[in-house]
Amino acid sequence: MPAMTRALQIRQFGGPEAMQLVELEVGEPGPGEVCIRHHAVGVNFIDIYQRTGLYANPLPLTLGMEGAGVVEAVGAGVTHLQPGDRVAYASQPPGSYCELRVMPARSVVVLPDGIDFETGAAMMLKGLTVQYLLRRTQPQGGLQPGDFVLWHAAAGGVGLIACQWARALGLRLIGTAGGAEKCGLALAHGAEFAIDYRSEDFVARVREITGGRGVRAVYDSIGQDTFEGSLDCLEPFGLMASFGNASGPVPPVNLGVLAAKGSLHLTRPTLFTHLATRESTQAMADDLFARVSSGEVRIPVSRRYALADAAQAHADLASRVTTGCLVLLP
Ligand SMILES: NC(=O)c1ccc[n+]([C@@H]2O[C@H](COP(=O)([O-])OP(=O)(O)OC[C@H]3O[C@@H](n4cnc5c(N)ncnc54)[C@H](OP(=O)(O)O)[C@@H]3O)[C@@H](O)[C@H]2O)c1
């Protein structure tokens, strides 16, 4: 009899209620594939973009890009994994909101013994994002200890990891967050300054903190609401890394604005370009595992939900009430 799994699927784009718990058949892994039984599944803002259709995928779609569990079977040609391995991943295509799945083995890495499944599921997509942003998405000349960077949504899942990693690199991270409590959390995780961008003018505060000079790089996942202001926080030749759209996508940009504001650099990166090969995925994961194993970066799992309650997790994440990382437990 074929293996079955419960999974959260959408048949049409929409709100959290569009997710339905269904029973699916799970096939055998083909060449280059692996079958994983999840012990924990990460919830990410990208899951919301995919649910609403901002990032469109063919339907029906099982959501989810991040998980941790145990390998049940490997397909032909897979040499870096074997049945029984504890593993974790951030990967295309979506499909992690389930108990059991078959997926490309390329993006799956062995989880070090000292890292539990919840941590593994919470840290792969968010931690590897911080890895490629702070280590591989830098302004001209690189980032040096003592440099100022601005990080929006600093108390979120990606944000709290970034605060800690930036501190470990000696960077002076200015974080923005909605409300005093979230600002306090960002500071406790290593931000040197925190700005409540719901009540303060973050551009004016960044200018004040940096003595009028501005920051070397802005890491902006808010999109529409902060894009213009973020450019105004940069020093000449600074880097704007626009990596998300929590408030909505950035409208078309007049490139002349980059000249007017000081020969700025602008990039719109995605983790999945960086994870294109097994070698780059392993190298980035090794860097993340080293930071987590040493205790320099602690993965802040703040909320746990049953798999069937994923709609509640989405509603909470979209309504800005959460901090840190959310996981589903199948
Ligand atoms: N390009 C990539 O490679 C990549 C990879 C991973 C994640 N991302 C992006 O990074 C961001 C963070 O992801 P995450 O999963 O860790 O989420 P998160 O930061 O935990 O949650 C999003 C946060 O954004 C802030 N926000 C500001 N305006 C908002 C609005 N209108 N609606 C909802 N939230 C708003 C809220 O924090 P405050 O209350 O503090 O404002 C909210 O808590 C997302 O935009 C995601 O798409 C991009």
Side-chain angles (χ1 to χ4, degrees):
M1 206 171 76
M4 301 294 289
T5 185
R6 292 184 309 146
L8 279 157
Q9 268 202 346
I10 56 168
R11 296 188 174 279
Q12 55 193 28
F13 300 120
E17 69 289 348
M19 283 187 272
Q20 292 177 357
L21 196 60
V22 295
E23 283 268 331
L24 298 176
E25 211 174 278
V26 183
E28 296 293 321
E33 291 184 332
V34 62
C35 180
I36 297 175
R37 183 165 296 278
H38 290 135
H39 285 232
V41 169
V43 177
N44 291 282
F45 222 91
I46 191 171
D47 307 339
I48 296 177
Y49 307 145
Q50 292 180 342
R51 191 201 70 221
T52 61
L54 177 66
Y55 297 175
N57 282 284
L59 298 175
L61 176 73
T62 301
L63 294 168
M65 311 286 284
E66 187 179 39
V70 174
V71 172
E72 292 227 327
V74 298
V78 176
T79 53
H80 70 289
L81 300 173
Q82 49 191 4
D85 281 349
R86 300 171 70 255
V87 294
Y89 66 87
S91 176
Q92 299 272 27
S96 68
Y97 284 13
C98 65
E99 298 157 322
L100 187 68
R101 79 178 289 196
V102 169
M103 62 176 294
R106 192 187 62 213
S107 312
V108 179
V109 295
V110 172
L111 196 58
D113 287 341
I115 301 180
D116 61 46
F117 288 121
E118 277 189 17
T119 303
M123 77 180 189
M124 292 301 286
L125 197 143
K126 299 167 201 71
L128 293 176
T129 296
V130 174
Q131 201 281 342
Y132 88 76
L133 287 172
L134 285 178
R135 308 292 284 163
R136 299 168 148 222
T137 311
Q138 301 193 343
Q140 230 176 4
L143 284 173
Q144 316 302 334
D147 282 347
F148 277 111
V149 300
L150 175 64
W151 200 291
H152 290 303
V158 172
L160 287 181
I161 296 173
C163 289
Q164 299 174 76
W165 204 321
R167 177 175 56 188
L169 295 173
L171 299 173
R172 308 183 70 183
L173 185 143
I174 305 171
T176 62
E181 203 174 314
K182 286 190 175 189
C183 284
L185 205 56
L187 291 171
H189 282 77
E192 187 174 335
F193 299 90
I195 303 170
D196 177 356
Y197 54 3
R198 284 193 154 182
S199 63
E200 297 176 273
D201 175 348
F202 75 84
V203 179
R205 284 281 288 125
V206 166
R207 289 279 156 201
E208 192 187 325
I209 290 166
T210 60
R213 183 162 178 83
V215 297
R216 297 212 62 224
V218 180
Y219 297 96
D220 186 335
S221 63
I222 307 299
Q224 185 171 264
D225 288 356
T226 49
F227 183 80
E228 287 284 335
S230 293
L231 295 182
D232 289 327
C233 292
L234 284 165
E235 65 175 41
F237 307 107
L239 173 71
M240 168 68 167
S242 173
F243 72 103
N245 341 261
S247 69
V250 176
V253 179
N254 170 6
L255 289 182
V257 82
L258 302 178
K261 292 181 191 286
S263 301
L264 302 180
H265 296 242
L266 169 63
T267 181
R268 179 43 176 105
T270 168
L271 173 63
F272 300 105
T273 319
H274 291 271
L275 299 183
T277 67
R278 168 144 163 73
E279 290 69 29
S280 63
T281 303
Q282 189 65 58
M284 290 168 66
D286 286 345
D287 194 11
L288 173 62
F289 293 154
R291 297 285 174 184
V292 172
S293 298
S294 72
E296 287 169 304
V297 173
R298 290 181 197 282
I299 304 302
V301 179
S302 62
R303 296 187 186 214
R304 297 161 180 84
Y305 303 82
L307 179 67
D309 295 334
Q312 187 60 50
H314 275 217
D316 292 347
L317 186 58
S319 64
R320 303 176 75 163
V321 298
T322 66
T323 60
C325 307
L326 282 52
V327 293
L328 306 177
L329 300 175

